Amino acid sequence: MAPQHKRAGVRRLALGAAAVAASAALASGLAAGVGVARAADPRAPAPSPTPVATPSALTPPAVPLPSAPAPATTPAVGGQAPAFGVFLKSDSRGVARMPLFSHWLGGTELRAGHTYLPGHRWRDIEGSADFLKVWAHWRNKKPDRMLVLNVPMQERNEEGVSDSEVRRLLRQGAAGEFDHHFRVLAERLVELKVPDTIVVLGWEMNGTTYTHRCGPDPEAWKKYWNRIVTTMRSVPGQKFRFDFTPSRGVDAVPWTKCYPGDDTVDIIGMDSYDQPAGMSFDQQVKEPYGLQHHVDFAKAHGKPISYPEWGLFRNGDNAEYMRRMLAWMEEHKPLYNTLTDYCPHGVWQCGANPRSSHLYRSALFGRTDQATPPLTPTPKPTPPSTPPPPADCTPLDLGSWVEEWLGGKLCLRFDWW
């Protein structure tokens, strides 16, 4: 499962010109003193009837402020604790929304920034500088942050390509026909000063959704993975870590049949949503190729674990799942986890999961580190009618629709220089 990358429709000329102006102001703000002040009582997106619908850019999430912050936790003993983050949007809007999500959590900082390269054509998979630059800028603002980048292994990645065609493409990849695309990507990441990017390559390969799936020819898939990793590691200056991430359970093929080997895998991840309907968390742990198998397999191979995608799904607003998943990650200490935050999975951009949202927010609110989250919910916060703007930040009047697209007012600080 992943965000669907759809091409935007044609808009009126005036609308496009204003959007360009707002985007330029936002981009400059990331480098120099421009921020987003949250609008009062913005509309949250309605639940989607489809499992992977992305939130509309014109329906920003509500960001209530608590009446009193929860107590901060103390630093974990024995070094830096696992990083966490959320997937909010693939493009620059995902970066712009991260401080708003952090504000919703009472200032708790997100250390993992997660995005996906589109998989329409090879030029997308090569990673345009315009797409990657804003993420690289976010990563490099603080040394303890990490950039998590999902990278497709084939173009036409969500276009329903047949098994026979997938088999042919995997064998072409195993023979080296696509190496140059991944060399370009690696060179661009190094040039943007994010050589330590975590690359989630060919995710959910054990399913049927993607053209980069493993099932039609597991041996060719493993050889292709190894070629990609070898190619990207050959670029001078790189420090990439490669994350092998199946979806939880058997799916179309047991994911262990796709494992390409310890030499080219640095992290063993798992995408784990609350599904299928009626499955308890204990069953998710114990099922074949489930959560426990994932932990045991990684331990046997001497690799850290991760959860690049997780969240609610088929069982609705399931606060028990949320509580158990947070506790599971605290017990097993993944290198990082990123919640998928759009309907039906999310807790901030989705208004359909109020109980799970309250539990998640209570567990992570007001933390100054990434230590053990309290799993007992705090009193439910009461949002004020009008959240105050950031200190020393003068709002700019860009028009109501631009502010709605941004999720708040754009404001300019005069102390940045």
Side-chain angles (χ1 to χ4, degrees):
M1 187 176 304
Q4 293 184 3
H5 305 278
K6 297 181 179 177
R7 298 185 184 275
V10 177
R11 294 180 174 85
R12 290 174 300 171
L13 179 59
L15 181 64
V20 170
S23 298
L26 180 59
S28 64
L30 289 171
V34 176
V36 179
R38 199 66 180 160
D41 194 27
R43 292 174 291 125
S48 168
T50 58
V52 293
T54 55
S56 169
L58 299 181
T59 52
V63 183
L65 288 173
S67 55
T73 56
T74 56
V77 177
Q80 193 173 58
F84 82 97
V86 287
F87 172 75
L88 297 165
K89 196 73 175 175
S90 290
D91 58 20
S92 59
R93 287 169 291 181
V95 176
R97 291 171 185 176
M98 280 196 286
L100 305 178
F101 190 93
S102 180
H103 179 66
W104 179 69
L105 289 180
T108 302
E109 187 175 359
L110 309 179
R111 288 204 297 113
H114 188 188
T115 189
Y116 297 72
L117 289 177
H120 303 303
R121 295 295 178 262
W122 281 116
R123 63 178 176 269
D124 302 318
I125 298 171
E126 290 175 351
S128 72
D130 289 341
F131 182 92
L132 292 170
K133 188 179 296 182
V134 66
W135 289 98
H137 179 83
W138 175 87
R139 159 66 185 91
N140 288 321
K141 289 286 284 185
K142 292 191 176 182
D144 64 342
R145 288 176 174 174
M146 60 177 64
L147 175 59
V148 179
L149 181 65
N150 276 49
V151 176
M153 294 168 68
Q154 295 286 357
E155 65 175 355
R156 298 181 294 149
N157 200 37
E158 297 183 49
E159 297 183 15
V161 176
S162 68
D163 279 356
S164 60
E165 177 69 359
V166 168
R167 188 177 300 111
R168 185 183 68 82
L169 291 169
L170 290 176
R171 291 172 182 176
Q172 285 182 288
E177 292 189 29
F178 309 131
D179 288 0
H180 58 288
H181 299 297
F182 297 96
R183 184 174 295 108
V184 170
L185 172 61
E187 290 170 349
R188 285 178 174 168
L189 290 170
V190 171
E191 288 170 3
L192 289 169
K193 297 182 171 57
V194 282
D196 57 352
T197 297
I198 293 174
V199 177
V200 186
L201 180 64
W203 70 100
E204 297 184 13
M205 75 298 294
N206 55 324
T208 60
T209 301
Y210 301 113
T211 305
H212 66 218
R213 62 189 180 270
C214 164
D217 193 335
E219 292 306 312
W221 192 93
K222 289 185 282 190
K223 290 177 182 177
Y224 184 28
W225 165 288
N226 289 333
R227 285 203 69 101
I228 294 171
V229 172
T230 300
T231 297
M232 294 185 70
R233 284 180 176 170
S234 71
V235 172
Q238 67 80 34
K239 302 176 184 176
F240 303 125
R241 286 179 286 179
F242 292 88
D243 192 331
F244 171 83
T245 298
S247 57
R248 196 197 74 239
V250 175
D251 212 329
V253 60
W255 50 261
T256 53
K257 290 187 176 180
C258 308
Y259 187 69
D262 292 343
D263 290 344
T264 57
V265 172
D266 300 295
I267 305 161
I268 298 177
M270 178 163 280
D271 288 351
S272 185
Y273 292 91
D274 185 22
Q275 64 173 346
M279 176 177 276
S280 70
F281 190 83
D282 285 335
Q283 290 172 310
Q284 294 178 29
V285 171
K286 297 175 182 177
E287 69 174 323
Y289 307 98
L291 290 172
Q292 188 62 57
H293 192 162
H294 169 228
V295 169
D296 293 343
F297 186 87
K299 184 177 180 180
H301 289 263
K303 306 294 181 182
I305 64 170
S306 70
Y307 296 100
E309 293 183 31
W310 69 279
L312 303 159
F313 198 4
R314 301 291 186 186
N315 295 302
D317 184 13
N318 187 353
E320 176 65 6
Y321 165 84
M322 182 61 63
R323 184 186 71 81
R324 294 288 301 275
M325 191 65 184
L326 287 171
W328 177 266
M329 291 188 290
E330 175 53 33
E331 178 184 357
H332 295 286
K333 301 291 189 296
L335 180 67
Y336 70 92
N337 79 81
T338 49
L339 175 76
T340 299
D341 194 67
Y342 55 79
C343 280
H345 314 300
V347 296
W348 184 60
Q349 295 184 127
C350 182
N353 302 313
R355 292 182 303 139
S356 300
S357 174
H358 176 55
L359 193 147
Y360 180 92
R361 187 171 186 237
S362 298
L364 299 175
F365 187 86
R367 290 167 55 188
T368 57
D369 64 290
Q370 309 302 325
T372 306
L375 294 180
T376 301
T378 57
K380 191 170 185 177
T382 303
S385 57
T386 305
D392 303 318
C393 195
T394 302
L396 303 178
D397 187 6
L398 298 176
S400 59
W401 75 264
V402 176
E403 292 167 4
E404 187 174 40
W405 181 82
L406 291 172
K409 284 182 176 295
L410 204 67
C411 63
L412 178 65
R413 291 181 58 183
F414 292 97
D415 61 350
W416 61 270
W417 62 79

